[in-house]
Amino acid sequence: MRAADPTPTQALPTIAPVTARCTAVRANEALPALARAIARTKGDSPLAPVTVVVPTNAVAVTARRWLGLHGGVAAIDLVTPARLAERLVGAELAERGRRPVSTPVIDITVRGVLRDVPGVYSAVADHPSTVSAMRDLYREVRLAGPGAVERLHESSPRGREAARVISETAARLAGSWYDEADLFALALTKLAGHPLTDPTIAFLPRLETGAATDLLGGLATTGSLELLVETTGVLAVDAGAHGLAAAVGTVLSVDDRPPATRSDASILSTTDADEEVRHAVRALVDAARADTPFARMVVLWPTDRPYARLVEHHLDAAGIPWNGRPGTLVTERLVPRFLLDLLHIDRRGLRRNDLFEVLADLPLLDPAGGRISVGRWERLARAAGVSRGEHWQPRLHALAARYRARTDDDRGAEAERAEQLAAFVADLRRDLGPVGRTRTWAQWAEWCERQVLRRLGSGLLDQLDEAERLASDHAGVVLDRLRHLDAVGPPVTRREFRAAFAAEFEAAPGRLGRLGDGVTIGSLAGTAGLDADVTIVLGAADGLLPPPPPADPLIGDDDRAHAGLASSDARAHRIHRAFLGHLASSERLIVSVPRGDLRATTERLPSRWIAAHLPEAPVSTVGSHHAGLVTVEFPASAAELRLRSRAIVAAAGSVDALELACQHDWVAARGLRLRAARRSDVVTEFDGDLTALDIDHLARPMSASQIEAWPACPHAYFVRHLLGVRPLDDPTDEVALSPIERGNVVHTTLDRFHQLVVAGELDQPGPDGWTSDHVRVLVQLFDEVADEFERTGRTGRPAHWFLDRRAVRTDLLNWFTLDGETAAARGARVVHSELRFGWDSPVVLPLPDGRRLAVAGFVDRIDEQANGDLVVMDHKSGNATKYARIEAADPTEGGTRFQLPIYAAAALGLRGETPGRSSTRVRAEYDFFGRGDYARHGYTFDTAVWSTVEHDLGEVVAGIESGLYPAVTEPPKYQHHIDCHYCQPDGLGVDERYGEWVRKRHDPRLARWFGDESAGDDHDGATA
């Protein structure tokens, strides 16, 4: 701690000691000094009882084990100051009806004080951060001694307000509750009349001011106390230490010896934190191979992020036992995480993203008792257009109804799952209730226990590992404590209960393992007094060591200094003392320096403490992860051993040797095969060659879109139509009406209108086309369809839909006028709308080899002209430009478009005729009605057209049956949208994929479809 002179309010009385002694020792001399002090105190009676006061339980275990290894000792009791005070007066406080105060009790009381008289905190009085910050300050001030709150009150207006809340909180708790400050105060009073009879030794690697130090001063003035204080040579003990020293009759001064330095320490410079931890684990393995027990090794860091989690995971991967507080927090374990998420899941109205984040993270049960199929439910929620809380029931039920109404495929199972999801959400909402609903603390605790058993299941809980089981047990203990808070506070909302539940885990027993069982890991700030042979300090870079001071939102450093509280840089001083203690006491010290932070893409400089305390220590630099891997003498894990051997062989440059080295590692062997195959000039099994598989592509009828997919991009055809993988659309991403839904609105409206015409409920178009009555019905149907789409969340944001709805209606009416004129000129009548074909009765197209290809789909509309000819229409809402070149001379546009021929074949099938052998003339056309473009592009089928279609279709079918599915991409270019989600599923461009296609397009097997004339560097024919 920083040296400080006592202020007038901190004046310490000079009391003559009964029997007292004070000794300041170096860190490496502390435990031997403790052994000498115990021996001196016991004298000729080795079984004489001696009480040793230590700062933490970890120091107690370390001291006991060291004493046991160096001669042994009996009849000593190692206790912390708080535990000693509890022994002295805990029973007395319990007899008075006072109970130990818990975090939720303090929070409830602080929240009540802020609610009754908020003062300057009125704007943030209910915010959880305000309550937690005030709770922490309350504890700190209480432990700083009886005069701290008065001094804080006198410091400044900010300090006055904080002191007011602290004083009122203490007054409200005083009658029924007690904390450590109450224990210390009452114990100090009791010692005055009933001093301890057993001699006491205070073994304090660090000594700070506060109530605990006051208790030791009371021991010194009323009984026998020997004080052992560890010094570092650079930091003075503070006013509390001076006061305690005065109580024992000794004045502690700043240790004027030079700061500790070492030249035999090792400094390791690595690329980043991940590489630091890898080398730390390797150093532990090397030390173990040199006969150093794991129990005599320590790995420390200045900040938990990112080191705590990295150390935990790398030690587990290497199979090295460890003990300490892991990077995985107790609240990240299954049961606490489940309850925290569940209590908070509808904070924004049970949004789809929030629900599925929880479902994907936790193995919950569905209403039937089985595990939830999260992927299927998530796809259904997207398909239903669910994004906000009010969407779940109406949109999922509407989706289920649409699936059941479809006859082209079997969607009954999907409809069932959609209704299961709707039932699950409804049940969850019933359990949660309104966000503002209040329950008693006991009711909330019972609710949580019921949810754990119901939604996680007892079977899963029985299979938890040790860490998860401890976290589950602690969650149960927390709920037991919370259920008794009804005597303290009124019923609370779910949010308030969650805040109290989470606050209890801040002091959760997150430590795993036992000290002395494996490597000890932890933060430098809490390791004073540990004794080890090998100490590894990670993160020795500026900005990490020392760590930046935390900011106190309630009071400033001047207020803290006036009140006698620790300054904002007290943690840095504590870490400095611990660092110097390990520097002096550890037989082997390794200090690791990260040169950069890959997470923040920043460079780092070595800590200034290295220059101050390790100026002559040798520095070893590891250039990269690869360099460290190939030079390590003994890998820390089987994975490292495998990687090192592969890296060494690969560095030799022999592909054959590398394949030989990987022959027994099928993962690496297949990886090498994949890499070599993708770098080759031919299509392989890793990029589209499935010729070895026997696939019957023509077993089921094919749709026009499926046939057109292969010439556009064989890879997309394979993934979409053979694997059944589709891109996922997120309804929350749709700002305006999407092109697909725009077309669906128009198609649905026209289908309902045309069905009325076909059924005779509306007249066919007359000599003047469609009449005003037709227009009125069409507008009515459009409004009904638009409302349905809006209710099911398929229209984008309301503001955009307001404009899009008017635009679509205008386009539809303008097209309707021109359509009526065309129908009148042709003397046409509507005979079919959304004609379903190919499933109930076959529709086939001939192939050049004599086979017939079964096709299926829906024809938007079929008209019959006055002369008996048929007109097939395919409604389009997109841009007509790319269809403008279609004509009878090239009816499939180079074998890329087959909708019109397939629809024409379906129309002929109605009359029992087949393509190329019919007497009926058929005209097929794309019918555009989007954004002012009302063009019609098409042609009339004759024998020559059918012959061309037969040839082009045969080429595509041959390509599909070839078993070759390379990714045929366009050259990389700037683009506003993704043309093919299958070629760039990450949306980051096709540079790498296009490079592969440039190499592989020369495969002779592809020449028939993707020859050089259509696949050059400026290729723009077959596109993704």
Side-chain angles (χ1 to χ4, degrees):
M1 298 292 295
R2 178 182 297 171
D5 295 327
T7 64
T9 57
Q10 295 173 294
L12 299 165
T14 302
I15 304 174
V18 177
T19 304
R21 178 186 180 94
C22 182
T23 306
V25 296
R26 286 279 196 177
N28 57 331
E29 305 165 354
L31 289 171
L34 174 61
R36 292 193 296 271
I38 293 175
R40 187 167 49 246
T41 303
K42 287 178 175 289
D44 296 331
S45 303
L47 296 181
V50 176
T51 300
V52 180
V53 181
V54 292
T56 64
N57 290 324
V59 173
V61 174
T62 299
R64 186 181 296 277
R65 295 191 179 208
W66 190 94
L67 293 170
L69 289 172
H70 295 79
V73 68
I76 63 169
D77 190 13
L78 292 100
V79 295
T80 62
R83 179 59 181 154
L84 178 61
E86 186 178 18
R87 287 182 179 180
L88 292 172
V89 297
E92 181 179 341
L93 286 171
E95 291 174 359
R96 296 180 186 179
R98 297 178 68 178
R99 291 173 291 172
V101 69
S102 63
T103 297
V105 171
I106 300 176
D107 285 354
I108 292 171
T109 309
V110 168
R111 190 177 290 111
V113 172
L114 292 174
R115 185 182 297 119
D116 294 342
V117 187
V120 298
Y121 307 113
S122 58
V124 293
D126 289 333
H127 197 284
S129 296
T130 306
V131 175
S132 61
M134 188 62 73
R135 172 230 305 155
D136 294 341
L137 183 60
Y138 168 84
R139 286 172 167 165
E140 188 176 2
V141 171
R142 292 276 295 164
L143 289 174
V149 66
E150 289 80 7
R151 296 193 295 271
L152 180 61
H153 188 276
E154 299 168 357
S155 62
S156 70
R158 286 179 65 187
R160 187 178 305 114
E161 279 295 292
R164 175 185 65 80
V165 176
I166 292 170
S167 298
E168 180 61 25
T169 300
R172 295 187 182 189
L173 293 173
S176 302
W177 307 91
Y178 70 85
D179 57 12
E180 287 189 359
D182 293 318
L183 285 173
F184 288 135
L186 187 59
L188 191 60
T189 302
K190 186 173 183 177
L191 283 175
H194 303 83
L196 292 180
T197 57
D198 294 339
T200 305
I201 299 172
F203 177 61
L204 303 172
R206 67 173 185 267
L207 186 60
E208 301 173 359
T209 186
T213 305
D214 294 342
L215 176 63
L216 296 180
L219 288 173
T221 58
T222 61
S224 174
L225 175 71
E226 179 164 354
L227 176 64
L228 295 177
V229 180
E230 179 184 306
T231 63
T232 61
V234 296
L235 298 174
V237 286
D238 64 8
H242 281 289
L244 179 57
V248 298
T250 304
V251 177
L252 288 177
S253 60
V254 178
D255 190 343
D256 57 1
R257 289 179 289 180
T261 61
R262 289 180 66 163
S263 60
D264 61 337
S266 302
I267 300 176
L268 183 66
S269 174
T270 65
T271 54
D272 64 324
D274 297 78
E275 196 63 16
E276 279 187 279
V277 178
R278 290 189 189 98
H279 280 273
V281 174
R282 293 166 189 165
L284 296 175
V285 172
D286 290 341
R289 292 172 62 225
D291 296 331
T292 301
F294 284 131
R296 299 292 299 165
M297 305 181 197
V298 178
V299 179
L300 308 172
W301 54 79
T303 59
D304 285 345
R305 299 185 62 183
Y307 291 102
R309 199 177 298 270
L310 287 175
V311 170
E312 173 191 357
H313 291 173
H314 281 280
L315 288 177
D316 286 343
I320 296 177
W322 57 271
N323 69 87
R325 188 176 290 272
T328 304
L329 304 177
V330 179
T331 50
E332 295 175 324
R333 303 292 181 184
L334 178 63
V335 173
R337 185 172 79 248
F338 163 70
L339 290 175
L340 289 171
D341 287 345
L342 187 64
L343 290 166
H344 205 41
I345 195 172
D346 60 345
R347 60 193 180 276
R348 298 184 296 177
L350 199 58
R351 295 185 178 184
R352 176 177 55 82
N353 289 342
D354 294 335
L355 175 62
F356 281 103
E357 281 179 4
V358 174
L359 295 183
D361 187 46
L362 298 166
L364 302 188
L365 298 176
D366 61 22
R371 293 296 168 194
I372 291 173
S373 177
V374 180
R376 288 178 173 174
W377 276 12
E378 219 274 347
R379 286 192 294 271
L380 287 169
R382 289 173 181 265
V386 174
S387 57
R388 300 191 299 274
E390 63 271 19
H391 295 164
W392 289 102
Q393 300 305 316
R395 296 188 179 182
L396 284 171
H397 287 303
L399 177 69
R402 291 203 305 272
Y403 280 167
R404 287 198 170 94
R406 291 179 62 169
T407 57
D408 58 318
D409 55 7
D410 183 14
R411 291 297 184 99
E414 292 295 285
E416 226 23 77
R417 293 189 186 98
E419 291 178 343
Q420 288 177 0
L421 175 56
F424 175 84
V425 173
D427 176 70
L428 178 62
R429 278 179 159 162
R430 282 192 298 270
D431 275 356
L432 292 172
V435 175
R437 177 181 179 179
T438 60
R439 287 187 172 109
T440 65
W441 291 93
Q443 288 173 337
W444 278 121
E446 292 170 2
W447 183 89
C448 289
E449 292 169 346
R450 188 167 61 253
Q451 294 299 318
V452 169
L453 290 176
R454 183 183 176 202
R455 300 193 183 277
L456 291 178
S458 57
L460 177 65
L461 299 178
D462 293 339
Q463 300 173 8
L464 299 179
D465 60 23
E466 180 185 4
E468 293 287 356
R469 181 180 52 77
L470 290 175
S472 177
D473 293 344
H474 185 71
V477 171
V478 169
L479 292 176
D480 285 339
R481 285 203 295 261
L482 294 179
R483 76 173 72 248
H484 298 296
L485 293 183
D486 288 319
V488 181
V492 291
T493 64
R494 186 155 29 95
R495 172 185 160 188
E496 292 169 335
F497 182 85
R498 182 187 184 277
F501 183 77
E504 278 280 9
F505 282 93
E506 293 184 6
R511 186 180 183 89
L512 292 178
R514 295 180 301 171
L515 192 66
D517 184 9
V519 179
T520 300
I521 66 172
S523 170
L524 267 168
T527 58
L530 285 181
D531 180 53
D533 294 337
V534 177
T535 301
I536 301 175
V537 179
L538 305 172
D542 270 347
L544 298 175
L545 191 72
D552 190 328
L554 299 177
I555 59 176
D557 260 6
D558 291 342
D559 301 319
R560 302 183 70 85
H562 195 86
L565 304 178
S567 62
S568 60
D569 57 357
R571 174 179 169 82
H573 290 313
R574 190 178 302 117
I575 289 178
H576 198 183
R577 288 179 62 85
F579 178 77
L580 293 175
H582 292 293
L583 186 70
S585 61
S586 182
E587 292 185 9
R588 182 185 177 196
L589 179 68
I590 302 174
V591 179
S592 181
V593 182
R595 298 193 296 273
D597 183 353
L598 299 184
R599 293 169 177 81
T601 63
T602 58
E603 295 184 5
R604 294 194 181 278
L605 298 175
S607 170
R608 68 200 75 166
W609 292 353
I610 292 179
H613 306 299
L614 301 170
E616 299 178 1
V619 179
S620 301
T621 301
V622 179
S624 64
H625 169 65
H626 178 268
L629 184 67
V630 298
T631 57
V632 62
E633 179 182 355
F634 195 91
S637 65
E640 275 197 359
L641 175 63
R642 186 173 63 252
L643 285 175
R644 187 192 67 166
S645 62
R646 306 296 187 269
I648 293 174
V649 173
S654 173
V655 176
D656 294 338
L658 183 58
E659 292 180 351
L660 181 63
C662 298
Q663 61 179 342
H664 299 299
D665 184 346
W666 68 270
V667 175
R670 287 185 64 85
L672 291 173
R673 286 182 55 202
L674 181 148
R675 185 183 67 173
R678 287 188 170 171
R679 291 176 177 178
S680 69
D681 294 336
V682 295
V683 180
T684 69
E685 62 182 297
F686 297 104
D687 41 45
D689 183 358
L690 300 184
T691 54
L693 300 181
D694 184 14
I695 303 174
D696 186 358
H697 297 275
L698 308 186
R700 299 180 60 187
M702 302 179 74
S703 67
S705 60
Q706 181 177 354
I707 294 172
E708 293 174 354
W710 191 88
C713 179
H715 172 71
Y717 174 91
F718 166 71
V719 178
R720 168 67 182 85
H721 295 286
L722 296 187
L723 297 184
V725 177
R726 300 184 182 184
L728 285 178
D729 295 323
D730 191 343
T732 59
D733 293 338
E734 296 295 344
V735 176
L737 184 68
S738 68
I740 293 177
E741 297 299 352
R742 184 186 187 93
N744 288 338
V745 169
V746 175
H747 276 70
T748 305
T749 303
L750 289 178
D751 178 46
R752 293 183 183 181
F753 176 82
H754 291 144
Q755 293 293 352
L756 294 176
V757 174
V758 173
E761 298 181 32
L762 287 176
D763 294 335
Q764 293 282 349
D768 297 325
W770 301 111
T771 66
S772 58
D773 290 338
H774 292 109
V775 172
R776 176 179 53 77
V777 174
L778 182 69
V779 170
Q780 179 182 346
L781 292 172
F782 172 79
D783 289 338
E784 292 176 0
V785 172
D787 290 342
E788 290 175 9
F789 274 64
E790 184 177 350
R791 284 195 301 272
T792 54
R794 301 158 67 186
T795 56
R797 305 289 173 83
H800 284 275
W801 172 233
F802 175 78
L803 300 175
D804 288 338
R805 179 169 178 157
R806 296 173 59 185
V808 174
R809 181 177 180 273
T810 299
D811 287 339
L812 179 61
L813 292 176
N814 289 339
W815 172 88
F816 194 63
T817 300
L818 296 176
D819 179 69
E821 295 173 358
T822 303
R826 292 173 173 173
R829 53 191 295 273
V830 181
V831 292
H832 290 284
S833 177
E834 293 296 328
L835 173 68
R836 181 180 186 270
F837 66 90
W839 285 282
D840 300 326
S841 58
V843 173
V844 297
L845 288 173
L847 297 174
D849 59 6
R851 293 183 299 166
R852 294 180 178 274
L853 175 66
V855 292
F858 290 86
V859 181
D860 291 343
R861 175 173 146 187
I862 300 177
D863 287 359
E864 183 178 1
Q865 299 185 127
N867 60 2
D869 292 344
L870 299 178
V871 178
V872 176
M873 297 182 191
D874 182 34
H875 300 315
K876 296 288 186 184
S877 59
N879 191 337
T881 304
K882 59 183 179 179
Y883 292 86
R885 295 177 296 177
I886 195 165
E887 57 185 359
D890 186 11
T892 65
E893 286 196 50
T896 61
R897 302 193 190 280
F898 291 92
Q899 275 185 309
L900 296 186
I902 289 175
Y903 294 169
L908 291 175
L910 295 173
R911 296 186 175 181
E913 300 178 10
T914 58
R917 299 178 179 84
S918 63
S919 59
T920 302
R921 287 168 54 87
V922 179
R923 176 175 175 80
E925 55 191 23
Y926 295 113
D927 197 8
F928 290 88
F929 52 83
R931 294 179 173 86
D933 189 352
Y934 310 109
R936 293 181 183 233
H937 300 297
Y939 48 85
T940 300
F941 284 83
D942 55 22
T943 304
V945 171
W946 282 119
S947 177
T948 302
V949 170
E950 180 179 331
H951 173 271
D952 293 346
L953 185 60
E955 288 295 294
V956 174
V957 170
I960 292 173
E961 292 182 322
S962 71
L964 299 174
Y965 304 99
V968 179
T969 67
E970 287 185 331
K973 63 181 185 298
Y974 176 79
Q975 55 187 14
H976 296 283
H977 65 280
I978 299 174
D979 293 325
C980 178
H981 287 276
Y982 300 101
C983 288
Q984 49 168 329
D986 55 5
L988 300 179
V990 296
D991 296 55
E992 183 177 356
R993 183 60 58 86
Y994 181 71
E996 293 179 2
W997 170 238
V998 168
R999 291 194 305 271
K1000 295 178 182 296
R1001 69 180 181 210
H1002 301 294
D1003 188 329
R1005 295 175 296 170
L1006 298 176
R1008 179 176 177 180
W1009 305 279
F1010 306 103
D1012 290 342
E1013 66 277 7
S1014 62
D1017 290 340
D1018 58 346
H1019 165 64
D1020 62 356
T1023 59

